[in-house]
Amino acid sequence: MAQIEIPRTQKAAVLVNPGKGLEVISNHPVTQPSELKPGQCLVKMHCTGVCHTDVHIAAGEVPHGPVPLVGGHEGIGTIVALGPAEGGVVKVGTRVGVRWLCYACGKCELCRRGKEAACESRKLAGHLVDGTFCQYMVAWSDHVVPIPDNVSDEQAVPVLCAGLTVYAALKACNAVPGDWVVIPGAGGGLGHLAIQYAHALGLKVVAVDTGDDKKDICLDLGAEKWIDFKQTDDIVRDIVATCDGKGAHTALIVTASPRAYEDSVKYLRTAGSIAVIGIPGPFVWSIPVALILRKSLHIIGHLLGTYQETVEALELVAQKKVVGHVNHRKLEDINDVFKDITQANVVGRTVIRLQ
């Protein structure tokens, strides 16, 4: 194969001053093939998704790596170079996905127990190391995921964080076909994918959000019931009544609303599960211990998913059982995208083309 020419500089959206958004610059350095370490690869990025976590990082609300730091953590691209002595599943020319968890050691206790997202040596793209808001990114060969040939870049990229997170959370909650799952924030980036993954797993969905545009997309995607939280005077009552009068089996909370957490313990049936995904800022969740005991509730803090679950989540996209609703924006618009996400004005998922 002819040697691929790699530019010295690139366009990238970079965190320079936490709390002041990202700076889009045109001369950010590109790591050259000769500079790659064993286990690394250089990916020419095609596109990237934008996640609420990116907003928290840019705002300086969570600990992050040293600045300047390239943001973003879900991207699709083609491998253009490999570090020394590399081989295995991927090679130059392979189209791959880069996940938030871009490296895990595979050897610590957490990795051995299938909790690689909490690996003691983990590297998180756009969070602890440079991420996907760029044209060329350094990734780790054993952790990029080959993309099925019949899945487009735009359909694959939302799966690498949003889709994977909700798919793996549904599995972690041990939901079984026929169960009721409530999804607060159902019309957003994670929520609209969660509806489809739940439907593919045989679950019945109560979609909770607000606005006619979100109502239409949630029902079109297969939700059995829509509840507009701004138009009900008792959301707990409405959810319990919808779920056979007994309450839901699972609450998959993908919104950053404190109220969504407070309500969930009230509408869940006995032995119900709550998947904690959305991050409502400094909110502290107070739950009566007696209620947890009486209802035998399971509260699951969920962060991303495994490599295998990524493959499974992508396969459901390849089978056309999950189709992302995608909004196209430019990298220069990144701070406007952050504002739209913060104000819950985004239906579906935002994707940015990088080439």
Side-chain angles (χ1 to χ4, degrees), residues 13 64 83 96 98 111 113 146 156 176 193 210 241 250 303 323 351:
H64 53 74
V96 297
V98 178
C111 282
R113 294 190 176 201
V176 299
L193 294 170
T210 188
T250 296
L303 185 67
V323 179
V351 173

Side-chain angles (χ1 to χ4, degrees), residues 200-224:
L201 294 172
L203 308 177
K204 296 180 291 188
V205 174
V206 179
V208 178
D209 215 316
T210 188
D212 289 340
D213 53 347
K214 293 185 177 181
K215 175 182 179 180
D216 291 343
I217 193 170
C218 288
L219 293 176
D220 287 345
L221 293 175
E224 276 74 15

Side-chain angles (χ1 to χ4, degrees), residues 298-320:
H298 302 263
I299 300 172
I300 302 165
H302 183 74
L303 185 67
L304 207 58
T306 66
Y307 189 104
Q308 174 59 28
E309 287 166 335
T310 311
V311 173
E312 294 170 9
L314 284 167
E315 179 56 29
L316 288 171
V317 177
Q319 295 173 14
K320 309 302 181 186

Side-chain angles (χ1 to χ4, degrees), residues 20 23 47 55 76 115 161 174 182 195 236 238 245 247 257 291 313 343 350:
K20 297 184 178 180
E23 295 184 21
C47 63
V55 180
I76 302 291
K115 304 294 183 182
C161 179
N174 296 317
V182 177
I195 292 171
V236 171
D238 291 348
S257 165
L291 179 63
Q343 297 175 352
T350 297

